[in-house]
Amino acid sequence: MSKRDYYEVLGVAKNASADDLKKAYRKLAMQFHPDRNPGDKDAEVRFREVNEAYEVLKDDQKRAAYDRFGHAAFEQGGGAGARGFGDFGGGFADIFDEMFGEFMGGARRGGGTGAQRGADVRYNMDITLEEAFAGKKTTIRVPGSVTCSTCKGSGARGGAAPETCPTCKGHGRVRAQQGFFTIERACPTCHGQGKVIRDPCPDCGGSGRQRKEKTLEVSIPAGVEEGTRIRLAGEGEAGMRGAPPGDLYIFLTIAPHRLFQRDGANVHCKVPITMTTAALGGSIEVPTIDGGRASVSIPKGTQSGDQFRLRGKGMTLLRSASRGDMFIHATVETPVNLTRRQEELLREFEEAGDRDSSPESSSFFKKVKEFWEDLTD
Ligand SMILES: [Zn+2]
Ligand SMILES: [Zn+2]
């Protein structure tokens, strides 16, 4: 069976960038994912192909080997380079891990050539619900690394470019014939880096990076939700030896609010209503998430659990001028700490009625009475 060309599988050009590869991979992996195509054998095969192609092409070292030797580069056991093939097709975790896993563990998996992109960095930020509503501009300080200013990131003294490794000619891997097999392994001279530095920069020890805390301006847009990630491109760890830096991802957590509960675009607020307002009707003033107040008219006979909607008083929507709604949940409060006079008035109130002012109770106790009567029949 002849295997399809990996670039063709992903539908990208031979010179596609890492970003292009990733984009193409994500799109196809989503499209052919088994969860989306249950029982579809063709989709399953495509999904496997796509994963296999990306597993190779995302890794500079494997990609270089593939460009040079084609599929033969990974046949006959293939050495460490082909590890993990055939394990795909499992749950969604594969894709999830691919997209989000990389900044969890610092350095990227795979990698290996001299110019390694910097790791993505995660920063956790807690904000209040008001800040999620209004947006926020803030500065954060993140520990990280920057390109070494002494060697300009090359890692070599005086900023000289690292030399191509003479043993592996820059591939980072060497192949050796052992009987019938060709074994491929990391180059012993450059440890898989493909480049060697004869005289390392004294300030960074050859890594091309220096530790440095950075201060960054961050703008949190209005309407963000719990778990929203904000990406600051290029603000992650500096790349190895002049390679591009990783990205910084800010993960937002919204603290619980003492008055409001958020449900997507809407805001809910439990409001206690006095017994007299609930019975007689009236107007109450409630706080709103924008810091203002709103007047709510409470109709006569309001019960606990009744809801009142304030249109357009909810959360802001991300990248939108409109707002969600606010819901007032009435809770009628039974009065406590009564004075003697209040007690008298309430007894008087109870005796004064000549019609049913508690229909719920009446109907309930009527049902109870019927229930007992049925039992004694
Ligand atoms: Zn340096
Ligand atoms: Zn080498």
Side-chain angles (χ1 to χ4, degrees):
M1 192 181 86
S2 71
K3 271 178 98 120
R4 279 176 72 200
D5 177 69
Y6 285 153
Y7 293 97
E8 193 187 302
V9 166
L10 292 176
V12 294
K14 291 256 189 248
N15 60 356
S17 69
D19 265 344
D20 292 342
L21 282 170
K22 183 180 253 185
K23 269 189 211 132
Y25 166 71
R26 285 182 184 186
K27 194 169 150 254
L28 293 169
M30 289 288 196
Q31 187 183 339
F32 295 115
H33 196 277
D35 288 354
R36 289 198 170 185
N37 306 276
D40 183 344
K41 288 281 170 224
D42 284 346
E44 203 183 309
V45 169
R46 288 297 306 274
F47 184 68
R48 230 179 270 273
E49 261 186 327
V50 163
N51 270 303
E52 187 187 309
Y54 184 62
E55 185 66 18
V56 169
L57 297 184
K58 73 170 178 177
D59 182 327
D60 293 344
Q61 198 179 308
K62 289 184 196 166
R63 186 176 176 177
Y66 177 73
D67 287 347
R68 197 153 170 224
F69 304 112
H71 289 301
F74 308 104
E75 282 163 12
Q76 296 181 343
R83 186 181 52 225
F85 282 1
D87 291 339
F88 297 109
F92 204 76
D94 295 338
I95 297 176
F96 185 84
D97 190 43
E98 198 53 56
M99 291 177 186
F100 305 112
E102 38 202 42
F103 43 81
M104 303 305 179
R108 294 187 166 231
R109 294 175 297 164
T113 49
Q116 195 178 0
R117 182 180 172 274
D120 291 336
V121 173
R122 172 180 179 144
Y123 183 95
N124 295 324
M125 185 187 285
D126 294 325
I127 60 171
T128 63
L129 191 60
E130 291 93 323
E131 287 167 345
F133 169 83
K136 184 188 185 184
K137 279 199 172 26
T138 185
T139 50
I140 57 170
R141 295 168 74 81
V142 285
S145 57
V146 293
T147 300
C148 172
S149 54
T150 312
C151 63
K152 304 283 182 286
S154 83
R157 187 187 291 272
E163 293 165 41
T164 301
C165 172
T167 310
C168 62
K169 309 280 184 287
H171 288 291
R173 303 192 76 74
V174 288
R175 314 178 110 225
Q177 196 75 31
Q178 280 192 3
F180 294 112
F181 298 103
T182 305
I183 306 292
E184 199 192 61
R185 60 195 167 90
C187 169
T189 309
C190 63
H191 307 291
Q193 301 282 298
K195 295 214 163 37
V196 284
I197 294 172
R198 299 216 184 270
D199 191 8
C201 164
D203 287 339
C204 62
S207 71
R209 302 186 289 190
Q210 286 173 327
R211 308 298 308 171
K212 193 181 180 194
E213 195 179 64
K214 286 191 285 192
T215 303
L216 298 171
E217 298 274 325
V218 183
S219 175
I220 313 283
V224 289
E225 304 221 18
E226 175 78 20
T228 297
R229 288 177 305 142
I230 294 170
R231 176 167 167 263
L232 301 185
E235 298 292 1
E237 297 269 355
M240 284 285 273
R241 295 177 193 156
D247 299 332
L248 177 77
Y249 286 85
I250 297 175
F251 279 63
L252 295 175
T253 305
I254 301 172
H257 196 276
R258 68 182 88 113
L259 290 174
F260 305 116
Q261 288 82 46
R262 178 192 198 170
D263 176 20
N266 297 329
V267 169
H268 298 261
C269 184
K270 271 191 187 165
V271 180
I273 315 265
T274 62
M275 180 193 71
T276 45
T277 304
L280 304 173
S283 172
I284 59 166
E285 200 167 60
V286 295
T288 50
I289 185 63
D290 53 18
R293 10 181 119 200
S295 170
V296 183
S297 77
I298 303 294
K300 260 185 203 184
T302 289
Q303 305 290 343
S304 277
D306 284 357
Q307 285 185 34
F308 305 98
R309 182 201 287 249
L310 301 176
R311 287 190 192 277
K313 294 288 185 189
M315 292 297 289
T316 37
L317 300 171
L318 209 54
R319 290 182 285 276
S320 161
S322 58
R323 280 173 67 178
D325 300 333
M326 179 173 176
F327 290 87
I328 306 296
H329 300 258
T331 311
V332 179
E333 186 175 21
T334 307
V336 295
N337 300 324
L338 301 181
T339 62
R340 193 175 290 271
R341 173 75 182 128
Q342 284 175 314
E343 281 189 25
E344 277 169 23
L345 285 170
L346 282 179
R347 286 191 206 294
E348 203 176 313
F349 163 82
E350 198 169 59
E351 285 150 16
D354 59 357
R355 49 186 164 166
D356 191 357
S357 52
S358 304
E360 287 279 337
S361 305
S362 311
S363 134
F364 176 76
F365 288 110
K366 189 163 163 267
K367 283 180 206 153
V368 171
K369 189 162 163 272
E370 285 163 5
F371 171 71
W372 281 333
E373 280 166 4
D374 286 350
L375 284 182
T376 53
D377 276 352

